[in-house]
Amino acid sequence: SLCFLLCSFAFLSLPLFHTFISLLTLFLGDVRVRSRAGFETERRGSHPYIDFRIFHSNSEIEVSVSARNVRRLLSFQRYLRSSRFFRGITVPNSSNILDDDYNGQAKCMLEKVGNWNFDIFLFDRLTNGNSLVSLTFHLFNLHGLIEHFQLDTMKLRRFLVMVQEDYHSQNPYHNAVHAADVTQAMHCYLKEPKLSESLTPWDVLLSLIAAATHDLDHPGVNQPFLIKTNHYLATLYKNTSVLENHHWRSAVGLLRESGLFAHMSLENRQLMESQIGDLILATDISQQNEYLSMFRSHLDRGDLCLEDANHRHFILQMALKCADICNPCRTWELSKQWSEKVTEEFFHQGDIEKKYHLGVSPLCDRQTETIANIQIGFMTYLVEPLFAEWARFSNTRLSQTMLGHLGLNKASWKGVQREQSGGGEDADPAFEEMDSDILPQEPRLS
Ligand SMILES: [Zn+2]
């Protein structure tokens, strides 16, 4: 069978193995994705996995790849990823064996999980790469969700491990550490007085699950890339919130598979799935203007009533949006690391687009863009407007801290920019192209 064939080849040297895979890709195209005879059945049906190693110039394989072949490679990678057999080879098994000392330090950190200075990178190292599982499990406990919803802790752990595994650790930015960071930020927002007074356990449950899964199975490229490479997800979701829809549906798949809420009524489970969807879909940055103007008019009218479940859920959407783009509101040490990671992911996409003549996406060209320009544009057009409104809604010490870091970090990047260009540079105009409707609220700084 095909399985046997692959097994035999797996023992050959890596270059040969790669060549074999590319040959298979060329010959079989999409067929293997549909008929997986001989392969271990996999729990999830689809992955938008794009293994960039296959594109790297130092890779052993140098098949001439047209845009058409890129499509084939994508679908093959999806197949590769969904085979446990291959996974076993490429993904090291992150076991739960923790050094006692590290374990102790991680536990110590969790006591301060509500601090805005929480160092998620350190926590991830201390937990041996299990930050998302450890942090989310801890938060479920802290918020009394395990008791309130009578959750089976084994099922909960299994669910969280599956969530963590479905993030791509090869992505410089959109990986499980980002998800853990967003979940930690969400926890900080849930603790804010206005919210903590009015939220129900159900709201907290949805918020934490949505935060932990909001970028699930992210391929490390953006929606325009998926559209121009005719990725099946772009077709499936009709080129609209393609990634966010996929994150949501992947989360639903894992929720169902884990049976974590099997003891709840079907009605409640369906409600949960759709409300998690509303939260995750709100993280589509291209929709920011719609959410922001709604938020602004509520604040202008002063008509937000948190006893109203609809209003609470709208605020939770805004909170998740803030958590998702709060990197510039962290301390410089943390914020800078995130900036480097996200730029690395953008430039990586740009390199591939260049190599395969796909047209380089905005912000993705390492020849013309700088990390400072990208950050200043991001802060000016997306982060500042959002956090200014959030501070109007929740004018607390945390909001002031976040705005304080935002100002300082922007000044730091401007300093970097001045050093690099000798002054005169402005925020990245690519953000204007991306969502020009956001601009009117924020005067351009020059
Ligand atoms: Zn995200």
Side-chain angles (χ1 to χ4, degrees):
S1 72
L2 198 56
C3 178
F4 172 73
L5 244 170
L6 285 169
C7 290
S8 339
F9 270 82
F11 295 103
L12 299 175
S13 70
L14 209 61
L16 251 177
F17 183 55
H18 275 164
T19 314
F20 170 68
I21 287 181
S22 18
L23 283 173
L24 246 189
T25 310
L26 291 172
F27 282 119
L28 300 176
D30 269 339
V31 177
R32 288 146 297 93
V33 179
R34 276 176 244 119
S35 82
R36 298 199 292 205
F39 284 87
E40 206 180 330
T41 42
E42 176 58 29
R43 52 192 165 88
R44 289 169 296 287
S46 60
H47 290 274
Y49 183 62
I50 297 159
D51 185 354
F52 290 129
R53 284 167 302 182
I54 216 157
F55 293 130
H56 281 170
S57 47
N58 59 4
S59 164
E60 299 292 332
I61 37 132
E62 271 303 333
V63 199
S64 86
V65 186
S66 64
R68 192 160 148 258
N69 284 338
V70 169
R71 270 207 304 281
R72 287 178 166 176
L73 286 170
L74 296 188
S75 54
F76 186 66
Q77 292 309 325
R78 169 159 51 97
Y79 159 78
L80 252 186
R81 164 94 178 167
S82 60
S83 161
R84 280 212 176 113
F85 170 71
F86 283 113
R87 253 200 211 174
I89 293 174
T90 52
V91 183
N93 186 23
S94 58
S95 61
N96 285 320
I97 308 162
L98 281 179
D99 182 270
D100 279 348
D101 187 38
Y102 282 173
N103 207 349
Q105 289 182 57
K107 274 196 185 128
C108 203
M109 279 191 81
L110 282 177
E111 283 167 22
K112 294 180 175 177
V113 70
N115 278 17
W116 190 246
N117 295 342
F118 190 84
D119 185 342
I120 196 71
F121 299 113
L122 174 61
F123 185 70
D124 194 60
R125 288 195 293 276
L126 292 174
T127 55
N128 196 26
N130 288 296
S131 55
L132 185 56
V133 174
S134 309
L135 185 119
T136 315
F137 191 92
H138 177 77
L139 291 179
F140 264 64
N141 217 355
L142 194 65
H143 286 277
L145 301 175
I146 296 174
E147 210 187 348
H148 190 274
F149 292 100
Q150 304 270 293
L151 301 180
D152 177 334
T153 52
M154 287 302 285
K155 283 184 182 171
L156 175 58
R157 211 167 263 283
R158 219 175 298 140
F159 168 69
L160 295 174
V161 167
M162 288 195 291
V163 169
Q164 185 176 271
E165 276 187 350
D166 273 8
Y167 279 95
H168 301 193
S169 54
Q170 313 86 315
N171 290 347
Y173 184 84
H174 287 105
N175 53 44
V177 187
H178 165 63
D181 182 54
V182 171
T183 309
Q184 192 270 337
M186 196 64 183
H187 166 66
C188 293
Y189 302 152
L190 298 179
K191 287 197 313 134
E192 290 284 78
K194 267 195 183 174
L195 283 174
S196 69
E197 283 162 16
S198 53
L199 293 182
T200 65
W202 177 260
D203 299 330
V204 176
L205 179 73
L206 296 179
S207 305
L208 293 179
I209 294 177
T213 59
H214 84 282
D215 272 331
L216 197 58
D217 206 23
H218 196 295
V221 289
N222 61 16
Q223 171 173 299
F225 185 95
L226 297 180
I227 293 173
K228 64 188 164 193
T229 55
N230 293 319
H231 197 276
Y232 74 101
L233 286 176
T235 317
L236 180 61
Y237 297 117
K238 301 186 171 64
N239 298 349
T240 317
S241 297
V242 173
L243 285 168
E244 293 75 17
N245 271 299
H246 179 63
H247 305 321
W248 168 38
R249 297 317 302 179
S250 303
V252 166
L254 293 191
L255 279 170
R256 291 182 188 176
E257 185 186 340
S258 69
L260 183 56
F261 299 108
H263 59 294
M264 283 187 185
S265 70
L266 178 66
E267 199 187 358
N268 277 340
R269 275 179 283 154
Q270 284 172 342
L271 182 67
M272 172 183 291
E273 291 178 2
S274 81
Q275 290 187 340
I276 288 174
D278 292 338
L279 288 172
I280 295 179
L281 290 174
T283 64
D284 181 351
I285 203 79
S286 70
Q287 302 288 309
Q288 167 139 327
N289 187 50
E290 282 75 9
Y291 284 94
L292 203 52
S293 48
M294 235 190 296
F295 196 23
R296 197 170 278 129
S297 22
H298 274 305
L299 294 170
D300 290 344
R301 292 195 302 262
D303 66 354
L304 278 168
C305 168
L306 297 186
E307 281 95 70
D308 179 335
N310 290 328
H311 284 196
R312 278 204 313 278
H313 290 154
F314 175 65
I315 291 302
L316 291 176
Q317 287 178 316
M318 297 312 296
L320 184 58
K321 287 177 62 53
C322 288
D324 193 26
I325 61 168
C326 75
N327 294 161
C329 302
R330 300 280 193 177
T331 62
W332 171 250
E333 289 69 30
L334 296 172
S335 178
K336 184 168 169 277
Q337 293 182 65
W338 289 120
S339 308
E340 288 162 356
K341 285 169 192 295
V342 79
T343 312
E344 194 187 333
E345 197 168 296
F346 287 169
F347 286 175
H348 204 174
Q349 177 179 327
D351 293 344
I352 292 156
E353 290 170 333
K354 264 182 221 168
K355 189 166 179 188
Y356 298 101
H357 310 290
L358 297 165
V360 182
S361 300
L363 312 175
C364 293
D365 193 337
R366 66 172 78 242
Q367 252 71 54
T368 58
E369 296 287 350
T370 68
I371 181 166
N373 289 357
I374 293 174
Q375 283 305 310
I376 293 165
F378 177 51
M379 291 176 178
T380 307
Y381 301 123
L382 296 171
V383 187
E384 282 174 356
L386 179 61
F387 280 85
E389 298 305 322
W390 181 259
R392 274 178 76 199
F393 164 70
S394 174
N395 192 6
T396 60
R397 227 179 99 185
L398 174 60
S399 292
Q400 293 312 318
T401 304
M402 294 193 295
L403 288 174
H405 287 308
L406 184 57
L408 289 171
N409 293 335
K410 189 169 167 181
S412 298
W413 286 121
K414 287 206 163 185
V416 174
Q417 199 181 48
R418 269 193 302 275
E419 264 174 40
Q420 286 170 342
S421 66
E425 283 261 10
D426 207 338
D428 201 308
F431 281 99
E432 294 183 62
E433 287 164 35
M434 208 168 93
D435 196 352
S436 52
D437 296 339
I438 295 172
L439 301 180
Q441 289 93 35
E442 185 67 14
R444 279 199 81 180
L445 307 171
S446 51

